[in-house]
Amino acid sequence: MFKETKLYSIFNNKCPKCHQGDFFVNKSPYSSDFIKMHDKCSNCGETFEKEVGFFYGAMYVSYGVNIALGIGLFLIMVLLLNLELLTYLFTFLGMAIVLFPLVMRLSRLIYINFFVKYDPSKK
């Protein structure tokens, strides 16, 4: 994946400004403190929490990611595999619970990348 793109920052848990420092403290989204973030980037010093409540907007991104997962799962299970709707609902509920930490981290990274531009001079 190209290092200068926002996708690199999002999928590799990197600072959106320099793409060098880690965004979250732990690499694993399934650790006990999966949502704990660094205050600043260890490489460029970019502050991750822009203001109090900044990441409330990430809830909307999380909603969109879950809707996209739900529609994709619906298309596969109900339309392609002709499974029952109730089977789909329970599968989606289980998937949403299992993927919650991953989606939450992903939504924060997507949200901050809306507001912070990559700066190659910060390497």
Side-chain angles (χ1 to χ4, degrees), residues 95-114:
M95 185 184 73
I97 291 170
V98 168
L99 293 179
F100 171 74
L102 186 65
V103 169
M104 193 157 176
R105 287 170 63 121
L106 187 68
S107 64
R108 282 191 175 202
L109 282 163
I110 291 170
Y111 190 71
I112 198 167
N113 271 280
F114 284 142

Side-chain angles (χ1 to χ4, degrees), residues 20-36:
Q20 298 291 322
D22 287 335
F23 189 76
F24 289 103
V25 173
N26 290 319
K27 298 259 187 221
S28 172
Y30 293 101
S31 64
S32 60
D33 54 350
F34 67 94
I35 203 66
K36 187 169 170 73

Side-chain angles (χ1 to χ4, degrees), residues 24-119:
F24 289 103
V25 173
N26 290 319
K27 298 259 187 221
S28 172
Y30 293 101
S31 64
S32 60
D33 54 350
F34 67 94
I35 203 66
K36 187 169 170 73
M37 302 181 327
H38 292 288
D39 294 329
K40 293 182 177 192
C41 176
S42 61
N43 185 55
C44 68
E46 177 73 21
T47 304
F48 293 142
E49 182 98 20
K50 301 298 179 196
E51 60 187 35
V52 176
F54 174 74
F55 286 107
Y56 284 142
M59 290 187 301
Y60 297 104
V61 176
S62 176
Y63 176 75
V65 169
N66 279 313
I67 292 298
L69 288 172
I71 289 173
L73 187 66
F74 178 81
L75 293 174
I76 292 169
M77 290 185 71
V78 176
L79 298 180
L80 292 178
L81 301 176
N82 294 324
L83 296 174
E84 300 253 345
L85 189 59
L86 194 58
T87 305
Y88 158 73
L89 290 174
F90 284 122
T91 304
F92 177 68
L93 180 64
M95 185 184 73
I97 291 170
V98 168
L99 293 179
F100 171 74
L102 186 65
V103 169
M104 193 157 176
R105 287 170 63 121
L106 187 68
S107 64
R108 282 191 175 202
L109 282 163
I110 291 170
Y111 190 71
I112 198 167
N113 271 280
F114 284 142
F115 300 101
V116 179
K117 304 282 187 230
Y118 173 66
D119 187 1

